[in-house]
């Protein structure tokens, strides 16, 4: 059920986590979602601030990566400033 939620979500926010969180992050990445990860112990912290793999997902988002954050305010700011470009890019990506 969570895979369906992630596939239809606009963005994913990861907080810590184990293997389940890792699979959720990977699924969101493959589906071209904005991925935000708290810099905490677990997979979110390990993947924060880097692309998940070497693929270039979007031509118009040059700094595409798992965006690392430390606070909820940073999450809100990222959603305000980045979400629209990801939603637009996902509509035109191949």
């Amino acid at each position: 059920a969570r895979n369906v939620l992630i596939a239809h979500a606009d963005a994913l926010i990861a907080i810590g986590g184990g293997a389940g969180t890792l699979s959720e992050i990977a699924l969101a990445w493959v589906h071209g979602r904005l991925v935000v990860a708290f810099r905490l112990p677990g997979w979110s912290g390990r993947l924060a601030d880097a692309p998940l793999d070497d693929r270039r997902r979007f031509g118009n988002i040059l700094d595409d990566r798992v965006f690392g954050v430390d606070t909820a305010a940073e999450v809100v700011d990222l959603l305000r400033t980045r979400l629209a470009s990801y939603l637009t890019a996902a509509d035109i990506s191949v």
Side-chain angles (χ1 to χ4, degrees):
R2 69 179 170 201
N3 290 353
V4 172
L5 292 173
I6 293 165
H8 290 88
D10 291 336
L12 174 90
I13 301 164
I15 303 171
T21 301
L22 175 60
S23 70
E24 292 165 353
I25 292 170
L27 185 62
W29 184 266
V30 168
H31 282 281
R33 304 301 184 246
L34 171 63
V35 180
V36 180
F38 275 84
R39 295 181 191 103
L40 295 170
W43 280 108
S44 71
R46 291 172 74 174
L47 300 174
D49 303 307
L52 195 58
D53 59 25
D54 293 333
R55 279 183 281 186
R56 183 152 181 198
R57 298 193 303 164
F58 308 109
N60 62 334
I61 303 175
L62 301 179
D63 63 344
D64 181 34
R65 63 186 182 276
V66 176
F67 290 91
V69 296
D70 295 305
T71 67
E74 289 177 272
V75 174
V76 171
D77 184 53
L78 270 171
L79 292 173
R80 285 186 180 145
T81 60
R82 298 279 187 160
L83 185 57
S85 62
Y86 274 84
L87 293 175
T88 302
D91 287 339
I92 60 173
S93 68
V94 175

